[in-house]
Amino acid sequence: MRAIALAALALAALAAGGPGSLDRSFGSGGKVLTKIGEGSAGQTVALQRDGKIVVAGAAHTGSNWDFALARYTSRGRLDQSFGRGGTVTTDFGSDYDYAFAMKIQPDGKIVVAGWTNGSGGGHVALARYRPNGSLDPTFGSDGKVVGPLGSGFALAVQRDGKVVVGGAADRSFAVFRFKPDGSLDPGFGTNGEVTTPFDLDSAAIRGLAIQSDGNIVAVGSAVGHEVTEWALARYTQEGSLDTTFGAGGTVTVFENALSNNLAEAVVFQGDRRILVAGTQLEHVALAGFLLSGALDPTFGVDAGVTTLDSYSTTRAGEASAVRLQRDGKIVTAGIWADLDIREFFVARFNHDGIPDQSFRSQGIAKTDLTAGEDSAYGLVLQRDGKLVAAGVAGNTNGSDGSFALVRYLASSACRVPDVRGRPVGVAKQMILHAHCSLGHVAHAFSSSVRKGRVISQRPWPGSSRPEHARVRLVVSSGRR
């Protein structure tokens, strides 16, 4: 019975610190909630080079919605050196200003894109902030840009500093390019703007990425009467459709009636595939496309796509973000829908799109933050491999939510075992089973420890280290 109890405890400890587990050293038990104004909603997240985390979205202040940002330390605390007490809000002068996308430039400046309810309807809105959270006066008008009619849902920054925004205008895909000073780039499309209609009634870009050759890939959805489908387009650096992609530069897949089919995020798997995450038939979905625009039949569970069983009779689950780990594994984050519950999820896949069974529960980690609706929209991977999902928590009526962050472990923790007095062979096995690795082994004479057994170790037994952390040993050579 004692052996069974010890085995159960060991399995429980492994599960608590395994891939997909909450990182208890972050915020409060792995979670952070921040309400800005009367309510706020995080929509995107970015990671600074120093490890600080920036979240952008919108805050409800009085009768208005404004751009809102918050910056956190690597421990999940508001960074008091940023803005006012760690947060910033920006009013464009309308009653509705909402940020959806963000990038951090190499110089540390933060570019945010979204939508403002300006004259004549909605306009693309941009703001650029200095690293301390103040608006950058060298960008647009005192740090702000109100662009053409349309919306901005996705953002990329080119190597030359030009800012590419993807969204919708004239019921079509719309791509806008701005120069580093915030003015529209006349060398792109028509006066800095390109629109691409699809066969259905309307279309909008939700994700954007720039290939190594400078071409721009946009993903989103096309919507008709009770019909939706995934829509993709690829543009040249000058803003023309790339005719080598799909049918004349565009691709549509997964058309279905009376169900949500939305492409939300895109990332490149080297020069091999274009990975797109979103919703297919109400389920969380990850698809792999060849560079030609065709679905890659060797990817995923079902001829190019893998779906996860996030399903509700009233709401669809969705993958809102996708990233690649250094080891090639694919991570998505978004909304897990189960009946009337909406919660954060992070899922991990092997490089071929098959769910990674070593990650939490069949490749999926789910986190319920509040009694309200919790939705993850952004994802970053830290240098230490930990995963940070960001979005909104407790959003029950559209105006009372909070910025929300959850940090997950990407690998099993190394819980250093006590191997003192153990034969060196046994010690090695204990170290490996604890998800640590064997470091330098030194030998020393000992009058109290038998030859071949461990005299001492570093780190100290019981300490927690990252997976595969090295454990150094001193082994007895026997009496002198």
Side-chain angles (χ1 to χ4, degrees):
M1 291 297 292
R2 176 177 171 79
I4 294 174
L6 289 173
L9 287 172
L11 287 172
L14 177 60
S21 300
L22 292 175
D23 177 8
R24 304 289 176 179
S25 70
F26 184 75
S28 176
K31 311 171 188 177
V32 175
L33 300 181
T34 304
K35 180 171 283 191
I36 305 173
E38 298 165 23
S40 47
Q43 293 289 321
T44 182
V45 62
L47 188 67
Q48 294 187 172
R49 289 183 176 179
D50 61 3
K52 291 181 179 179
I53 303 161
V54 184
V55 179
H60 190 229
T61 55
S63 60
N64 296 335
W65 283 91
D66 297 325
F67 273 29
L69 286 79
R71 188 165 73 192
Y72 301 86
T73 67
S74 61
R75 302 285 291 185
R77 301 183 179 93
L78 280 171
D79 178 9
Q80 300 298 314
S81 69
F82 184 77
R84 182 174 296 180
T87 67
V88 170
T89 58
T90 302
D91 184 4
F92 282 79
S94 77
D95 58 353
Y96 197 87
D97 308 321
Y98 217 102
F100 291 101
M102 171 176 53
K103 294 292 181 183
I104 298 178
Q105 297 181 171
D107 61 3
K109 291 181 179 179
I110 303 163
V111 183
V112 180
W115 185 84
T116 181
N117 185 22
S119 60
H123 291 253
V124 175
L126 289 168
R128 190 166 72 194
Y129 302 86
R130 291 182 290 198
N132 65 2
S134 62
L135 285 165
D136 176 10
T138 68
F139 185 77
S141 176
D142 295 324
K144 298 182 286 187
V145 171
V146 176
L149 287 169
S151 55
F153 297 126
L155 175 67
V157 178
Q158 296 184 172
R159 293 179 181 176
D160 59 5
K162 291 181 179 179
V163 178
V164 182
V165 177
D170 297 328
R171 306 179 69 83
S172 303
F173 265 28
V175 182
F176 311 88
R177 192 164 74 188
F178 299 83
K179 294 191 290 187
D181 63 0
S183 60
L184 281 165
D185 179 9
F188 183 79
T190 302
N191 297 321
E193 178 181 351
V194 174
T195 57
T196 304
F198 285 78
D199 289 340
L200 298 181
D201 296 340
S202 63
I205 294 170
R206 301 296 301 192
L208 199 66
I210 300 176
Q211 292 184 172
S212 58
D213 61 4
N215 284 356
I216 302 163
V217 175
V219 304
S221 60
V223 181
H225 179 63
E226 297 184 340
V227 176
T228 57
E229 62 187 1
W230 285 28
L232 294 79
R234 189 162 68 198
Y235 302 90
T236 67
Q237 298 180 52
E238 295 76 30
S240 302
L241 282 171
D242 178 3
T243 56
T244 67
F245 183 76
T250 66
V251 171
T252 55
V253 291
F254 307 142
E255 179 179 326
N256 278 288
L258 302 175
S259 64
N260 282 326
N261 292 282
L262 309 170
E264 296 277 331
V266 58
V267 71
F268 300 116
Q269 196 176 39
D271 293 328
R272 182 179 180 184
R273 293 191 188 104
I274 301 168
L275 303 179
V276 182
T279 301
Q280 196 223 345
L281 291 174
E282 315 290 337
H283 297 288
V284 170
L286 174 69
F289 294 83
L290 300 172
L291 296 185
S292 65
L295 280 167
D296 181 354
T298 69
F299 183 84
V301 174
D302 185 15
V305 63
T306 295
T307 57
L308 305 177
D309 292 332
S310 167
Y311 181 74
S312 165
T313 56
T314 57
R315 296 170 180 154
E318 65 182 70
S320 306
V322 60
R323 296 285 186 269
L324 289 180
Q325 291 187 173
R326 291 183 180 178
D327 62 2
K329 291 186 177 181
I330 307 159
V331 186
T332 66
I335 305 164
W336 193 267
D338 186 6
L339 296 178
D340 290 329
I341 298 173
R342 286 167 69 91
E343 56 189 344
F344 275 38
F345 88 85
V346 171
R348 192 164 74 185
F349 305 81
N350 296 319
H351 74 279
D352 57 1
I354 305 301
D356 177 8
Q357 299 299 317
S358 72
F359 188 80
R360 203 53 179 169
S361 176
Q362 296 182 324
I364 309 164
K366 295 174 281 186
T367 305
D368 193 14
L369 293 162
T370 68
E373 297 183 354
D374 308 326
S375 305
Y377 295 114
L379 175 69
V380 291
L381 277 59
Q382 296 185 171
R383 291 184 179 179
D384 60 4
K386 292 177 181 179
L387 317 171
V388 181
V392 57
N395 191 30
T396 55
N397 62 18
S399 62
D400 61 350
S402 301
F403 275 25
L405 297 93
V406 180
R407 190 161 75 187
Y408 302 88
L409 301 176
S411 56
S412 299
C414 159
R415 184 71 67 177
V416 180
D418 187 353
V419 298
R420 294 168 299 177
R422 303 276 188 174
V424 66
V426 173
K428 289 178 180 178
Q429 291 301 313
M430 291 176 65
I431 289 168
L432 294 176
H433 288 163
H435 298 279
C436 312
S437 65
L438 183 64
H440 178 69
V441 178
H443 292 81
F445 293 107
S446 173
S447 60
S448 58
V449 179
R450 291 171 55 186
K451 183 178 180 180
R453 294 179 178 259
V454 177
I455 300 171
S456 62
Q457 65 178 92
R458 291 289 181 88
W460 190 255
S463 58
S464 181
R465 294 290 187 273
E467 186 177 27
H468 305 311
R470 294 182 180 278
V471 179
R472 301 182 298 277
L473 305 178
V474 177
V475 178
S476 173
S477 298
R479 293 178 180 273
R480 185 181 294 274

